[in-house]
Amino acid sequence: MSMVRPAEAKGRPFRISLGLDHAAFAMIAVATAIMVSYPAVLVLLRSISTEDIGSPLTLDWIRALVDSRRSREALVNTAIYTAGSSALAMTLGVGLSFLSTRTDMPGARLLGLLAILPILVPPFIMVVGWVALADPNAGLINIAASMLFGGRTVLVDINTMSGLIWMTGLFLSPYVYLLVAAGFRNCDPAMEEAARVAGASRIGLLRTVILPLQRPALLAALLLVVVMSAGDFVIPSTVGLKARIYMLPSLIWQNSSTFPPQPGLAAAQSMLLVVIGLVCIFFQRRALQRGGRYTLLGGKGAGLTTFPLGRLRYPLAGLAFVFALCSSLLPILSVSAMAFMRFWAPYAMNLENLTLRNFRYVLFEYPQVWPSAQNSLFLAVLGATLCVLLAIVLGWYIVRMRGRFAGLVEYAMVVPLGVPGIALGVGILSLWILVPGGIYGTLWILLLAYITAHIPVALQFVGSALHRVHTDLEDASRISGRTLVGTLRRINLPLMRPALIGSWLLIYVVILREVSLVILLYNPSTIVLPVGLMDIWGSGFYPELAVYSLLLLVLGLVPVLLFGRFARFTAD
Amino acid sequence: MADPQQRRSAGDAKAGETSSVSVTGLSKSYGGAGSLRALDDFTLEFGAGQCTVLLGPSGCGKTTVLRSIAGLITPDSGRIAIGGTAVFDAAFGTCDPPEKRRLGMVFQSYALWPHLSVADNVGYPLAASGMPKAEIRPLVESMLEWVSLGGMGGRYVHELSGGQQQRVSLARAVVGNPRAILFDEPLSNLDARLRERMRLELLGLRQRRPFTSIYVTHDQLEAMTLGDRVVVMRAGKIEQVGSPEDVYKRPRTRFAADFMGIPNLIEGRLRATGPDGFVVDTVLGPLRARGWRTGRTVGESCTVALRPTLLACSPDIGAGAPLGRVIRSVFQGTSTIHMIDVAGTTITIESFSEERHGDGMTVRVTPAEGAVFALLDD
Ligand SMILES: Nc1ncnc2c1ncn2[C@@H]1O[C@H](COP(=O)(O)OP(=O)(O)OP(=O)(O)O)[C@@H](O)[C@H]1O
Ligand SMILES: [Mg+2]
């Protein structure tokens, strides 16, 4: 005899008494979902408003976008740039991950490390480093070529579309590596053994089992680098502008910040990026989810078929290491060399020209450096911490409570992944510029932008770490008398610590170097390190630029070196 | 050996006795529009100090009952009371969270925390109740001795064997003097020999100190040895409740008999009823059964259970008895199992001689007195 029929029981008060916790978690989750999704909406709205949001609607900006020659040119350039750098990043990322995980290549582990190292290297290092190496006049490679071949030989020129593609491809390759290598490594040996027993050759195995299983991961990686390169800001607005190769992100910046500003046109151009980004990221998520169906637990490395490289073993290893070095150590070394030079010109490449003056100047005399370093450190530490804390709440709400808005929140979290930083900046700006006495013009708007952009990454880490904690461990704690929050603190946090530290470090490093997000939001009193770098780039003092970017690198690396061994850096 | 419960009770006057758990009209559905009824109007009283075993096939709702009692699942309707006070009542909107229910639980996965030492694992419920560290330590140590793990408190979980881990998990469940302890297939991750040993140990521990236990398993041997009472479940409902002996000897339905591990459930047709029993026509000819169900009519079809040990098969003895073909004869250590095909029905016979029959041989199957021991509903 049932005392309450199920139909009646639905919506009865005990469901509510179940969870003040639940309500609090749901509220935070929904608030975060709104926080991450309104910028995209506002970009669209701003692009069809005459003035700030709230003013009459118009199609003028869209029309201007279509009519402007520069916009069309930028669109074509962005397309070429995106295609080129994505192709390069894919080739490098997939190649290096296959070589380092599934072949008998010598030094495979070291290669794996080198391949992901560029994630820790700010793009400025890549830019300054490759300018130092491949500038048509004073690039080390060209100087060496001139000495070798006589006369003035320009072997490589960074101030070209291929130069831009080269840097961006290198810069993005570790993201491909991370997505794909995990798949190669986590193959189920039983599947491969079954194929081998069924008579497949090694190559047949690669063609019929290994690669098809990786297809979702490959697609996901491709779409990710497409989004990242289409929205990339630093390389197009430094070397790109110098070479007069206009792209959408750099044009948005110019339209918003040079006189006369055209925020409506900037918003229309941002909208184009937002649409491209969101479409790509939508398909990327789908590919990843489909990949999830193939996710193979149990099999971890042991027993996987390795592919012998035969006579190509050493040549391939050499090539792989050259590429891996090009994306991290080589630029760092050339930036370091540049930092010690009194001035930077082809004829200045000699020992008398070495000096510490640049360090003294940048670190002690340049007025902007310490305020901006302080701001950056404050924002990076606070931002990373808040991101991780927020992600724990969201992760719990989505993964464990499976609350009513879980699906909605998960969808919203995709938005910042698809919206390039500069467009996110446009969206955030167009809201807060309307709020008098609000956070516009303070550090808090930068903090908000950082958290908005990076919460999804933190959530991925926390989500996958949460999936690893068996719910029995939490249930056992609840039954033992600990409340939900007590259980989170005593059981989940310690068990998830490596992933939490890993995501904290990653977000810290990324916030420290992030420029596209804040380039439209900062003002002279809230300047941050990478924005300062853009200033110096404009002034053209390369040795000082080198010191400045090394400072950025070091500030980012210190906590990684200190705490990296307690961390887990993959969210697979 | 110092008894931890006693010490705890001495220090804490409120420490509850082991309590009864009563579940009334519990229902739980999953899926869109409640399409899957995991639990359907489940009502049962779990006696204080008793061990009640929930037995049933995979997916019948055993875990759902257990987790509802623990507070880990919120049922759709019904009432759960522990020691007389409601911890869940859909009608009044009561739903205590797990941490307020003062229960212990032993998980199939052990659910020991890898980042804590064995002592910290066991002491966790005490620490959660705010007991000072100095008081926890001796309690934990005596608890570990109780489960024969004295001196291992400093180890970490991965340094223990599966059996030891499960004992730590038991110690953790008992240490806080819970009102009842819930077991969800605690032994099924252990290998057969260890499982047997742990089963006997658990029995010993319970004999020394009875605690209210609700024990989920699908191993009928565990149910028989550990249970004061066995509950056979089927598709979210109770199929039969009784003492292990009762359920084994007098399964009410074919399903229950099957699940109690009774072989030789064969179809028959009732030929005659009398005051002292029934006569049933089967492939083995007419059999006299001491049925315990009344109100059956002649000509009705029914199922009878035949004890494997009270059947004999031989190529020569028993003239006139039905013929069968040997499918397989397997020596099992203490006995030999013969599988015989009699007119399309497979009969299992257990004999304590070591004689084996060749496959395909023709034998005569003769039931001894009392071979037929139940008459089941279909
Ligand atoms: N979270 C859930 N969502 C949907 N269905 C569920 C969920 N949990 C349990 N079920 C369903 O409820 C029914 C009862 O599940 P329950 O876990 O109680 O079975 P069980 O008797 O413990 O089985 P087993 O012996 O396999 O552990 C099953 O049909 C199961 O598929
Ligand atoms: Mg179960």
Side-chain angles (χ1 to χ4, degrees), chain A residues 192-206 208-209 305:
Chain A
E192 301 190 4
E193 277 158 15
R196 293 301 297 279
V197 171
S201 66
R202 279 209 180 80
I203 296 300
L205 183 66
L206 189 61
T208 58
V209 178
T305 316

Side-chain angles (χ1 to χ4, degrees), chain B residues 42-116:
Chain B
F42 183 97
T43 301
L44 195 68
E45 178 84 19
F46 300 87
Q50 268 197 339
C51 177
T52 310
V53 176
L54 301 180
L55 188 67
S58 188
C60 70
K62 309 180 294 290
T63 301
T64 309
V65 174
L66 211 63
R67 294 173 73 83
S68 302
I69 294 173
L72 298 169
I73 299 182
T74 311
D76 300 331
S77 62
R79 181 173 189 274
I80 301 169
I82 304 176
T85 45
V87 293
F88 172 79
D89 194 334
F92 292 99
T94 323
C95 184
D96 285 356
E99 64 267 23
K100 293 241 179 81
R101 299 195 182 192
R102 301 208 8 249
L103 298 169
M105 186 156 175
V106 179
F107 292 81
Q108 179 176 3
S109 63
Y110 317 141
L112 297 176
W113 300 296
H115 62 296
L116 299 179

Side-chain angles (χ1 to χ4, degrees), chain A residues 100 105-117 177 321 324-325 329:
Chain A
S100 75
M105 206 193 73
R109 281 179 60 96
L110 181 63
L111 180 69
L113 216 63
L114 281 178
I116 54 170
L117 197 58
Y177 181 94
F321 274 95
L325 291 176
L329 289 187

Side-chain angles (χ1 to χ4, degrees), chain B residues 10 25 70 72 96 103 153 160 181 191 194 196 215 227 232-233 258 275 289-290 305 333-334 353:
Chain B
L72 298 169
D96 285 356
L103 298 169
L160 298 181
I181 300 181
D191 68 54
L194 196 55
E196 167 136 0
Y215 192 105
V232 180
M233 287 183 65
D258 212 7
R290 294 244 301 228
T334 50
S353 78

Side-chain angles (χ1 to χ4, degrees), chain A residues 1-4 6 9 12 14-15 17-18 472-473 475-484 490-491 494-495, chain B residues 24 37 41 67 72 74 76-77 90-91 93 97-99 103 105 107 109 111-115 124-125 128 172:
Chain A
M1 41 117 244
S2 143
M3 303 206 303
V4 181
R12 281 212 164 236
F14 74 85
R15 289 199 177 277
S17 74
L18 240 180
D472 280 358
L473 297 179
D475 292 345
S477 164
R478 295 297 297 278
I479 291 172
S480 300
R482 284 246 194 251
T483 58
L484 171 58
R490 305 277 173 155
I491 303 298
L495 289 177
Chain B
T24 323
R37 294 220 111 188
D41 199 7
R67 294 173 73 83
L72 298 169
T74 311
D76 300 331
S77 62
E99 64 267 23
L103 298 169
M105 186 156 175
F107 292 81
S109 63
L112 297 176
W113 300 296
H115 62 296
Y124 190 93
R172 179 181 66 187

